[in-house]
Amino acid sequence: MTALRARPSSLGRVEFTAMLAGSMALAALGIDLMLPAFDDIRADLGLAAGSNEVTGLVTAYFIGMAAGQLFYGPLADRFGRRPTLYLGFAIYGVGALASALAPGLATLFAARLIWGFGAAGPRVVTLAVVRDSYTGEAMARAMSFIMAVFLLVPVIAPTLGSLLVAASSRRWMFVACAAVAVGTAIWAQRLPETLRPENRSELRFGRIAQAARHVVTNRQTVGYTLAMTSLYGVFTSYIASSEKIFSDIYDQEAAFPFLFGGAAGVMGLGMVINARVVERFGTRRLSHGVLLAYLVGASVLTAITLGWDGRPPLVLFFVGLCVMLTCHALLIPNFNTVALHPMGAVAGMASSVTGACQIAVGAFLGSFLDRAFEDTVTPLVLGFLGYGTLALALILWAERGRLFQRLQPVA
């Protein structure tokens, strides 16, 4: 099926895509808007200039998101997508306001955990709604358009964050995030309920365990989820360390919002390209080809980086970084599609399990790279190569060594 099942005539496909992308983008807003405010946060909380303690605010947010993934999935499969989405919006807003009011670093960490927990709701529900509405290559195409709009946030958020901090403080910046959540929740009232009545599951431990077992015993779902998780590890390391890379290693603090946003814009372009070509080449074939290209690009970037003792010229590093992030943009929606393809009857649970693994384990893998950062980009570049190689091994396991096969219809 390539058409929407439950979209009323008043909700066009463009609005449907934009609404889901906006809901999912709240998760990115809670991170990217804050990155230029690290110095302001350090000063506000009495931390030393350049202190790495503030990077824990990103980690706390990811931990909250990972925990929330497993919470929202069963609710979405039992009560429907819309009520679960509104619950996520509410918790997100509470976490953002608590972060604005937090008097110290410890309370800010706790507020960020709550904030991330709320952000998990829109993410889980968005993936479940897409799986309810599409399948096969059409699902990959829809996912790419949603991701492309979603990536507008990293393009504009750092610049917007810098302006908000300059005009007021980081506290009002957090209030702005809560206001965006309220506005998105009002808009989402137009979203139809996409969960079919016959697919509603009971909220019992046995039923939840059965649905989870269905997810974790499917070789295709597990393999592609773990491959996504591996790539997510190096991506989270880039997000958490981007300020240090551009501001400290390359001394481009003033240009950081533009460099970070430019790289995100390249990813968004990659998502649009994927949406245009995925139905022609097929989800599996395209993702397998891009993964091989990813490893070639990572090998070249590694050679360049080591040749300059870990600090290649900014232009060379930025071009190489954009190549790698473009590959990420082509792989993320396609790997998500293949992983969720067999999971139509338990889309909420599948979104929870795959999302929790991707975020929790991915953040754990990324932390190894974060701790290795000093004054070179070598850890990140080696992460692209090492975690990319692991992703290829996992895809080969999932496909039993047979690459470039077409995605088969689900009964």
PDB file of all heavy atoms in Angstrom, residues 199-232:
ATOM      1  N   ASN A 199      -5.956  -3.584  15.421  1.00  0.00           N
ATOM      2  CA  ASN A 199      -4.550  -3.639  15.817  1.00  0.00           C
ATOM      3  C   ASN A 199      -4.311  -3.107  17.230  1.00  0.00           C
ATOM      4  O   ASN A 199      -3.166  -3.076  17.691  1.00  0.00           O
ATOM      5  CB  ASN A 199      -3.677  -2.856  14.833  1.00  0.00           C
ATOM      6  CG  ASN A 199      -3.438  -3.617  13.544  1.00  0.00           C
ATOM      7  OD1 ASN A 199      -3.616  -4.835  13.492  1.00  0.00           O
ATOM      8  ND2 ASN A 199      -3.062  -2.907  12.499  1.00  0.00           N
ATOM      9  N   ARG A 200      -5.362  -2.669  17.913  1.00  0.00           N
ATOM     10  CA  ARG A 200      -5.194  -2.223  19.302  1.00  0.00           C
ATOM     11  C   ARG A 200      -4.870  -3.423  20.181  1.00  0.00           C
ATOM     12  O   ARG A 200      -5.520  -4.462  20.104  1.00  0.00           O
ATOM     13  CB  ARG A 200      -6.463  -1.535  19.804  1.00  0.00           C
ATOM     14  CG  ARG A 200      -6.700  -0.171  19.179  1.00  0.00           C
ATOM     15  CD  ARG A 200      -7.929   0.490  19.753  1.00  0.00           C
ATOM     16  NE  ARG A 200      -8.179   1.771  19.117  1.00  0.00           N
ATOM     17  CZ  ARG A 200      -7.766   2.952  19.590  1.00  0.00           C
ATOM     18  NH1 ARG A 200      -7.092   2.987  20.740  1.00  0.00           N
ATOM     19  NH2 ARG A 200      -8.022   4.071  18.957  1.00  0.00           N
ATOM     20  N   SER A 201      -3.867  -3.272  21.021  1.00  0.00           N
ATOM     21  CA  SER A 201      -3.428  -4.373  21.879  1.00  0.00           C
ATOM     22  C   SER A 201      -3.726  -4.058  23.337  1.00  0.00           C
ATOM     23  O   SER A 201      -3.781  -2.895  23.739  1.00  0.00           O
ATOM     24  CB  SER A 201      -1.926  -4.625  21.705  1.00  0.00           C
ATOM     25  OG  SER A 201      -1.187  -3.476  22.047  1.00  0.00           O
ATOM     26  N   GLU A 202      -3.916  -5.092  24.120  1.00  0.00           N
ATOM     27  CA  GLU A 202      -4.188  -4.908  25.544  1.00  0.00           C
ATOM     28  C   GLU A 202      -2.914  -4.484  26.268  1.00  0.00           C
ATOM     29  O   GLU A 202      -1.809  -4.902  25.920  1.00  0.00           O
ATOM     30  CB  GLU A 202      -4.706  -6.213  26.148  1.00  0.00           C
ATOM     31  CG  GLU A 202      -6.026  -6.680  25.563  1.00  0.00           C
ATOM     32  CD  GLU A 202      -6.478  -7.989  26.167  1.00  0.00           C
ATOM     33  OE1 GLU A 202      -6.013  -8.314  27.286  1.00  0.00           O
ATOM     34  OE2 GLU A 202      -7.271  -8.695  25.534  1.00  0.00           O
ATOM     35  N   LEU A 203      -3.114  -3.645  27.277  1.00  0.00           N
ATOM     36  CA  LEU A 203      -1.979  -3.159  28.059  1.00  0.00           C
ATOM     37  C   LEU A 203      -1.716  -4.127  29.209  1.00  0.00           C
ATOM     38  O   LEU A 203      -1.898  -3.815  30.385  1.00  0.00           O
ATOM     39  CB  LEU A 203      -2.268  -1.753  28.590  1.00  0.00           C
ATOM     40  CG  LEU A 203      -1.047  -0.922  29.028  1.00  0.00           C
ATOM     41  CD1 LEU A 203      -0.098  -0.723  27.871  1.00  0.00           C
ATOM     42  CD2 LEU A 203      -1.497   0.426  29.573  1.00  0.00           C
ATOM     43  N   ARG A 204      -1.302  -5.331  28.841  1.00  0.00           N
ATOM     44  CA  ARG A 204      -0.959  -6.375  29.814  1.00  0.00           C
ATOM     45  C   ARG A 204       0.487  -6.777  29.597  1.00  0.00           C
ATOM     46  O   ARG A 204       0.990  -6.766  28.464  1.00  0.00           O
ATOM     47  CB  ARG A 204      -1.859  -7.596  29.664  1.00  0.00           C
ATOM     48  CG  ARG A 204      -3.315  -7.358  30.021  1.00  0.00           C
ATOM     49  CD  ARG A 204      -4.107  -8.667  29.961  1.00  0.00           C
ATOM     50  NE  ARG A 204      -4.166  -9.222  28.621  1.00  0.00           N
ATOM     51  CZ  ARG A 204      -3.478 -10.286  28.198  1.00  0.00           C
ATOM     52  NH1 ARG A 204      -2.629 -10.891  29.016  1.00  0.00           N
ATOM     53  NH2 ARG A 204      -3.621 -10.727  26.975  1.00  0.00           N
ATOM     54  N   PHE A 205       1.150  -7.187  30.681  1.00  0.00           N
ATOM     55  CA  PHE A 205       2.567  -7.536  30.570  1.00  0.00           C
ATOM     56  C   PHE A 205       2.777  -8.659  29.552  1.00  0.00           C
ATOM     57  O   PHE A 205       3.697  -8.590  28.725  1.00  0.00           O
ATOM     58  CB  PHE A 205       3.112  -7.973  31.932  1.00  0.00           C
ATOM     59  CG  PHE A 205       4.558  -8.402  31.868  1.00  0.00           C
ATOM     60  CD1 PHE A 205       5.580  -7.464  31.818  1.00  0.00           C
ATOM     61  CD2 PHE A 205       4.899  -9.749  31.829  1.00  0.00           C
ATOM     62  CE1 PHE A 205       6.908  -7.857  31.737  1.00  0.00           C
ATOM     63  CE2 PHE A 205       6.220 -10.160  31.749  1.00  0.00           C
ATOM     64  CZ  PHE A 205       7.223  -9.204  31.712  1.00  0.00           C
ATOM     65  N   GLY A 206       1.922  -9.655  29.585  1.00  0.00           N
ATOM     66  CA  GLY A 206       2.085 -10.770  28.660  1.00  0.00           C
ATOM     67  C   GLY A 206       1.953 -10.336  27.217  1.00  0.00           C
ATOM     68  O   GLY A 206       2.727 -10.761  26.353  1.00  0.00           O
ATOM     69  N   ARG A 207       0.980  -9.457  26.957  1.00  0.00           N
ATOM     70  CA  ARG A 207       0.779  -8.980  25.587  1.00  0.00           C
ATOM     71  C   ARG A 207       1.931  -8.088  25.140  1.00  0.00           C
ATOM     72  O   ARG A 207       2.393  -8.162  23.996  1.00  0.00           O
ATOM     73  CB  ARG A 207      -0.539  -8.204  25.521  1.00  0.00           C
ATOM     74  CG  ARG A 207      -0.858  -7.636  24.139  1.00  0.00           C
ATOM     75  CD  ARG A 207      -1.076  -8.752  23.125  1.00  0.00           C
ATOM     76  NE  ARG A 207      -1.297  -8.214  21.792  1.00  0.00           N
ATOM     77  CZ  ARG A 207      -0.333  -7.874  20.949  1.00  0.00           C
ATOM     78  NH1 ARG A 207       0.929  -8.011  21.315  1.00  0.00           N
ATOM     79  NH2 ARG A 207      -0.620  -7.400  19.753  1.00  0.00           N
ATOM     80  N   ILE A 208       2.415  -7.241  26.052  1.00  0.00           N
ATOM     81  CA  ILE A 208       3.550  -6.382  25.726  1.00  0.00           C
ATOM     82  C   ILE A 208       4.798  -7.220  25.464  1.00  0.00           C
ATOM     83  O   ILE A 208       5.546  -6.974  24.511  1.00  0.00           O
ATOM     84  CB  ILE A 208       3.799  -5.376  26.868  1.00  0.00           C
ATOM     85  CG1 ILE A 208       2.621  -4.411  26.982  1.00  0.00           C
ATOM     86  CG2 ILE A 208       5.102  -4.617  26.647  1.00  0.00           C
ATOM     87  CD1 ILE A 208       2.690  -3.495  28.185  1.00  0.00           C
ATOM     88  N   ALA A 209       5.004  -8.238  26.313  1.00  0.00           N
ATOM     89  CA  ALA A 209       6.167  -9.108  26.138  1.00  0.00           C
ATOM     90  C   ALA A 209       6.083  -9.861  24.808  1.00  0.00           C
ATOM     91  O   ALA A 209       7.099 -10.045  24.122  1.00  0.00           O
ATOM     92  CB  ALA A 209       6.265 -10.092  27.299  1.00  0.00           C
ATOM     93  N   GLN A 210       4.880 -10.287  24.452  1.00  0.00           N
ATOM     94  CA  GLN A 210       4.707 -10.997  23.181  1.00  0.00           C
ATOM     95  C   GLN A 210       5.039 -10.083  21.998  1.00  0.00           C
ATOM     96  O   GLN A 210       5.706 -10.501  21.042  1.00  0.00           O
ATOM     97  CB  GLN A 210       3.271 -11.494  23.067  1.00  0.00           C
ATOM     98  CG  GLN A 210       2.994 -12.277  21.793  1.00  0.00           C
ATOM     99  CD  GLN A 210       1.528 -12.694  21.691  1.00  0.00           C
ATOM    100  OE1 GLN A 210       0.693 -12.230  22.460  1.00  0.00           O
ATOM    101  NE2 GLN A 210       1.230 -13.565  20.741  1.00  0.00           N
ATOM    102  N   ALA A 211       4.565  -8.826  22.063  1.00  0.00           N
ATOM    103  CA  ALA A 211       4.854  -7.877  20.989  1.00  0.00           C
ATOM    104  C   ALA A 211       6.356  -7.581  20.919  1.00  0.00           C
ATOM    105  O   ALA A 211       6.939  -7.527  19.826  1.00  0.00           O
ATOM    106  CB  ALA A 211       4.075  -6.588  21.213  1.00  0.00           C
ATOM    107  N   ALA A 212       6.987  -7.404  22.081  1.00  0.00           N
ATOM    108  CA  ALA A 212       8.426  -7.138  22.101  1.00  0.00           C
ATOM    109  C   ALA A 212       9.204  -8.326  21.551  1.00  0.00           C
ATOM    110  O   ALA A 212      10.190  -8.154  20.820  1.00  0.00           O
ATOM    111  CB  ALA A 212       8.880  -6.815  23.527  1.00  0.00           C
ATOM    112  N   ARG A 213       8.749  -9.528  21.899  1.00  0.00           N
ATOM    113  CA  ARG A 213       9.421 -10.735  21.389  1.00  0.00           C
ATOM    114  C   ARG A 213       9.297 -10.822  19.869  1.00  0.00           C
ATOM    115  O   ARG A 213      10.232 -11.238  19.181  1.00  0.00           O
ATOM    116  CB  ARG A 213       8.817 -11.971  22.060  1.00  0.00           C
ATOM    117  CG  ARG A 213       9.537 -13.268  21.700  1.00  0.00           C
ATOM    118  CD  ARG A 213       9.189 -14.387  22.658  1.00  0.00           C
ATOM    119  NE  ARG A 213       7.743 -14.620  22.722  1.00  0.00           N
ATOM    120  CZ  ARG A 213       6.984 -14.339  23.770  1.00  0.00           C
ATOM    121  NH1 ARG A 213       7.532 -13.794  24.855  1.00  0.00           N
ATOM    122  NH2 ARG A 213       5.682 -14.583  23.759  1.00  0.00           N
ATOM    123  N   HIS A 214       8.147 -10.417  19.360  1.00  0.00           N
ATOM    124  CA  HIS A 214       7.958 -10.404  17.907  1.00  0.00           C
ATOM    125  C   HIS A 214       8.968  -9.475  17.240  1.00  0.00           C
ATOM    126  O   HIS A 214       9.469  -9.757  16.137  1.00  0.00           O
ATOM    127  CB  HIS A 214       6.526  -9.954  17.586  1.00  0.00           C
ATOM    128  CG  HIS A 214       6.221  -9.874  16.129  1.00  0.00           C
ATOM    129  ND1 HIS A 214       6.208 -10.982  15.312  1.00  0.00           N
ATOM    130  CD2 HIS A 214       5.921  -8.812  15.334  1.00  0.00           C
ATOM    131  CE1 HIS A 214       5.907 -10.613  14.081  1.00  0.00           C
ATOM    132  NE2 HIS A 214       5.730  -9.301  14.068  1.00  0.00           N
ATOM    133  N   VAL A 215       9.283  -8.364  17.908  1.00  0.00           N
ATOM    134  CA  VAL A 215      10.234  -7.400  17.349  1.00  0.00           C
ATOM    135  C   VAL A 215      11.659  -7.930  17.409  1.00  0.00           C
ATOM    136  O   VAL A 215      12.384  -7.923  16.408  1.00  0.00           O
ATOM    137  CB  VAL A 215      10.137  -6.052  18.097  1.00  0.00           C
ATOM    138  CG1 VAL A 215      11.197  -5.074  17.584  1.00  0.00           C
ATOM    139  CG2 VAL A 215       8.743  -5.447  17.941  1.00  0.00           C
ATOM    140  N   VAL A 216      12.064  -8.415  18.590  1.00  0.00           N
ATOM    141  CA  VAL A 216      13.480  -8.754  18.786  1.00  0.00           C
ATOM    142  C   VAL A 216      13.861 -10.120  18.204  1.00  0.00           C
ATOM    143  O   VAL A 216      15.041 -10.474  18.199  1.00  0.00           O
ATOM    144  CB  VAL A 216      13.852  -8.710  20.282  1.00  0.00           C
ATOM    145  CG1 VAL A 216      13.604  -7.329  20.848  1.00  0.00           C
ATOM    146  CG2 VAL A 216      13.088  -9.769  21.084  1.00  0.00           C
ATOM    147  N   THR A 217      12.893 -10.877  17.724  1.00  0.00           N
ATOM    148  CA  THR A 217      13.221 -12.161  17.107  1.00  0.00           C
ATOM    149  C   THR A 217      13.176 -12.108  15.583  1.00  0.00           C
ATOM    150  O   THR A 217      13.392 -13.123  14.925  1.00  0.00           O
ATOM    151  CB  THR A 217      12.260 -13.267  17.591  1.00  0.00           C
ATOM    152  OG1 THR A 217      10.903 -12.876  17.319  1.00  0.00           O
ATOM    153  CG2 THR A 217      12.437 -13.539  19.073  1.00  0.00           C
ATOM    154  N   ASN A 218      12.897 -10.942  15.033  1.00  0.00           N
ATOM    155  CA  ASN A 218      12.892 -10.799  13.584  1.00  0.00           C
ATOM    156  C   ASN A 218      14.289 -10.394  13.123  1.00  0.00           C
ATOM    157  O   ASN A 218      14.780  -9.320  13.485  1.00  0.00           O
ATOM    158  CB  ASN A 218      11.854  -9.751  13.158  1.00  0.00           C
ATOM    159  CG  ASN A 218      11.720  -9.659  11.650  1.00  0.00           C
ATOM    160  OD1 ASN A 218      12.570  -9.098  10.971  1.00  0.00           O
ATOM    161  ND2 ASN A 218      10.635 -10.205  11.127  1.00  0.00           N
ATOM    162  N   ARG A 219      14.930 -11.244  12.360  1.00  0.00           N
ATOM    163  CA  ARG A 219      16.322 -11.015  11.960  1.00  0.00           C
ATOM    164  C   ARG A 219      16.494  -9.696  11.199  1.00  0.00           C
ATOM    165  O   ARG A 219      17.444  -8.948  11.432  1.00  0.00           O
ATOM    166  CB  ARG A 219      16.786 -12.198  11.087  1.00  0.00           C
ATOM    167  CG  ARG A 219      18.283 -12.192  10.765  1.00  0.00           C
ATOM    168  CD  ARG A 219      18.609 -13.342   9.807  1.00  0.00           C
ATOM    169  NE  ARG A 219      20.040 -13.479   9.597  1.00  0.00           N
ATOM    170  CZ  ARG A 219      20.802 -14.436  10.113  1.00  0.00           C
ATOM    171  NH1 ARG A 219      20.261 -15.354  10.907  1.00  0.00           N
ATOM    172  NH2 ARG A 219      22.095 -14.499   9.852  1.00  0.00           N
ATOM    173  N   GLN A 220      15.572  -9.400  10.311  1.00  0.00           N
ATOM    174  CA  GLN A 220      15.649  -8.171   9.522  1.00  0.00           C
ATOM    175  C   GLN A 220      15.540  -6.940  10.416  1.00  0.00           C
ATOM    176  O   GLN A 220      16.339  -6.008  10.306  1.00  0.00           O
ATOM    177  CB  GLN A 220      14.525  -8.167   8.485  1.00  0.00           C
ATOM    178  CG  GLN A 220      14.448  -6.900   7.635  1.00  0.00           C
ATOM    179  CD  GLN A 220      13.360  -7.012   6.579  1.00  0.00           C
ATOM    180  OE1 GLN A 220      13.301  -7.980   5.831  1.00  0.00           O
ATOM    181  NE2 GLN A 220      12.479  -6.017   6.525  1.00  0.00           N
ATOM    182  N   THR A 221      14.579  -6.946  11.318  1.00  0.00           N
ATOM    183  CA  THR A 221      14.384  -5.805  12.207  1.00  0.00           C
ATOM    184  C   THR A 221      15.584  -5.609  13.121  1.00  0.00           C
ATOM    185  O   THR A 221      16.085  -4.490  13.293  1.00  0.00           O
ATOM    186  CB  THR A 221      13.113  -5.999  13.046  1.00  0.00           C
ATOM    187  OG1 THR A 221      11.983  -6.088  12.171  1.00  0.00           O
ATOM    188  CG2 THR A 221      12.903  -4.848  14.008  1.00  0.00           C
ATOM    189  N   VAL A 222      16.077  -6.697  13.710  1.00  0.00           N
ATOM    190  CA  VAL A 222      17.205  -6.603  14.636  1.00  0.00           C
ATOM    191  C   VAL A 222      18.468  -6.139  13.918  1.00  0.00           C
ATOM    192  O   VAL A 222      19.186  -5.242  14.390  1.00  0.00           O
ATOM    193  CB  VAL A 222      17.439  -7.961  15.327  1.00  0.00           C
ATOM    194  CG1 VAL A 222      18.744  -7.942  16.116  1.00  0.00           C
ATOM    195  CG2 VAL A 222      16.280  -8.291  16.250  1.00  0.00           C
ATOM    196  N   GLY A 223      18.763  -6.731  12.769  1.00  0.00           N
ATOM    197  CA  GLY A 223      19.991  -6.398  12.056  1.00  0.00           C
ATOM    198  C   GLY A 223      20.046  -4.944  11.637  1.00  0.00           C
ATOM    199  O   GLY A 223      21.051  -4.244  11.842  1.00  0.00           O
ATOM    200  N   TYR A 224      18.952  -4.464  11.057  1.00  0.00           N
ATOM    201  CA  TYR A 224      18.939  -3.074  10.592  1.00  0.00           C
ATOM    202  C   TYR A 224      18.874  -2.096  11.754  1.00  0.00           C
ATOM    203  O   TYR A 224      19.418  -0.986  11.677  1.00  0.00           O
ATOM    204  CB  TYR A 224      17.773  -2.858   9.621  1.00  0.00           C
ATOM    205  CG  TYR A 224      18.115  -3.295   8.207  1.00  0.00           C
ATOM    206  CD1 TYR A 224      17.976  -4.626   7.815  1.00  0.00           C
ATOM    207  CD2 TYR A 224      18.610  -2.398   7.271  1.00  0.00           C
ATOM    208  CE1 TYR A 224      18.304  -5.048   6.539  1.00  0.00           C
ATOM    209  CE2 TYR A 224      18.948  -2.800   5.990  1.00  0.00           C
ATOM    210  CZ  TYR A 224      18.795  -4.131   5.625  1.00  0.00           C
ATOM    211  OH  TYR A 224      19.138  -4.534   4.352  1.00  0.00           O
ATOM    212  N   THR A 225      18.213  -2.478  12.847  1.00  0.00           N
ATOM    213  CA  THR A 225      18.189  -1.618  14.022  1.00  0.00           C
ATOM    214  C   THR A 225      19.585  -1.456  14.614  1.00  0.00           C
ATOM    215  O   THR A 225      20.015  -0.340  14.956  1.00  0.00           O
ATOM    216  CB  THR A 225      17.242  -2.191  15.088  1.00  0.00           C
ATOM    217  OG1 THR A 225      15.910  -2.188  14.574  1.00  0.00           O
ATOM    218  CG2 THR A 225      17.287  -1.363  16.368  1.00  0.00           C
ATOM    219  N   LEU A 226      20.314  -2.545  14.727  1.00  0.00           N
ATOM    220  CA  LEU A 226      21.668  -2.476  15.281  1.00  0.00           C
ATOM    221  C   LEU A 226      22.611  -1.726  14.349  1.00  0.00           C
ATOM    222  O   LEU A 226      23.516  -1.016  14.802  1.00  0.00           O
ATOM    223  CB  LEU A 226      22.191  -3.889  15.547  1.00  0.00           C
ATOM    224  CG  LEU A 226      21.487  -4.650  16.685  1.00  0.00           C
ATOM    225  CD1 LEU A 226      22.057  -6.068  16.808  1.00  0.00           C
ATOM    226  CD2 LEU A 226      21.628  -3.901  18.005  1.00  0.00           C
ATOM    227  N   ALA A 227      22.415  -1.873  13.038  1.00  0.00           N
ATOM    228  CA  ALA A 227      23.238  -1.115  12.086  1.00  0.00           C
ATOM    229  C   ALA A 227      22.965   0.380  12.235  1.00  0.00           C
ATOM    230  O   ALA A 227      23.889   1.203  12.231  1.00  0.00           O
ATOM    231  CB  ALA A 227      22.947  -1.579  10.661  1.00  0.00           C
ATOM    232  N   MET A 228      21.671   0.736  12.358  1.00  0.00           N
ATOM    233  CA  MET A 228      21.306   2.129  12.609  1.00  0.00           C
ATOM    234  C   MET A 228      21.933   2.628  13.903  1.00  0.00           C
ATOM    235  O   MET A 228      22.415   3.763  13.992  1.00  0.00           O
ATOM    236  CB  MET A 228      19.787   2.250  12.730  1.00  0.00           C
ATOM    237  CG  MET A 228      19.098   2.841  11.519  1.00  0.00           C
ATOM    238  SD  MET A 228      17.407   3.343  11.886  1.00  0.00           S
ATOM    239  CE  MET A 228      16.736   1.904  12.685  1.00  0.00           C
ATOM    240  N   THR A 229      21.919   1.782  14.916  1.00  0.00           N
ATOM    241  CA  THR A 229      22.465   2.146  16.220  1.00  0.00           C
ATOM    242  C   THR A 229      23.958   2.439  16.121  1.00  0.00           C
ATOM    243  O   THR A 229      24.459   3.400  16.721  1.00  0.00           O
ATOM    244  CB  THR A 229      22.221   1.012  17.221  1.00  0.00           C
ATOM    245  OG1 THR A 229      20.814   0.794  17.343  1.00  0.00           O
ATOM    246  CG2 THR A 229      22.812   1.343  18.582  1.00  0.00           C
ATOM    247  N   SER A 230      24.664   1.629  15.367  1.00  0.00           N
ATOM    248  CA  SER A 230      26.097   1.837  15.185  1.00  0.00           C
ATOM    249  C   SER A 230      26.377   3.189  14.535  1.00  0.00           C
ATOM    250  O   SER A 230      27.235   3.958  14.997  1.00  0.00           O
ATOM    251  CB  SER A 230      26.679   0.709  14.328  1.00  0.00           C
ATOM    252  OG  SER A 230      28.068   0.881  14.146  1.00  0.00           O
ATOM    253  N   LEU A 231      25.642   3.494  13.482  1.00  0.00           N
ATOM    254  CA  LEU A 231      25.824   4.785  12.814  1.00  0.00           C
ATOM    255  C   LEU A 231      25.390   5.937  13.712  1.00  0.00           C
ATOM    256  O   LEU A 231      25.988   7.020  13.689  1.00  0.00           O
ATOM    257  CB  LEU A 231      25.025   4.812  11.508  1.00  0.00           C
ATOM    258  CG  LEU A 231      25.463   3.807  10.428  1.00  0.00           C
ATOM    259  CD1 LEU A 231      24.544   3.903   9.217  1.00  0.00           C
ATOM    260  CD2 LEU A 231      26.911   4.045  10.022  1.00  0.00           C
ATOM    261  N   TYR A 232      24.356   5.702  14.511  1.00  0.00           N
ATOM    262  CA  TYR A 232      23.871   6.738  15.418  1.00  0.00           C
ATOM    263  C   TYR A 232      24.921   7.057  16.476  1.00  0.00           C
ATOM    264  O   TYR A 232      24.988   8.185  16.972  1.00  0.00           O
ATOM    265  CB  TYR A 232      22.574   6.285  16.077  1.00  0.00           C
ATOM    266  CG  TYR A 232      21.780   7.401  16.710  1.00  0.00           C
ATOM    267  CD1 TYR A 232      21.092   8.318  15.920  1.00  0.00           C
ATOM    268  CD2 TYR A 232      21.699   7.547  18.090  1.00  0.00           C
ATOM    269  CE1 TYR A 232      20.360   9.344  16.488  1.00  0.00           C
ATOM    270  CE2 TYR A 232      20.963   8.562  18.665  1.00  0.00           C
ATOM    271  CZ  TYR A 232      20.301   9.462  17.853  1.00  0.00           C
ATOM    272  OH  TYR A 232      19.579  10.482  18.427  1.00  0.00           O
TER     273      TYR A 232
END
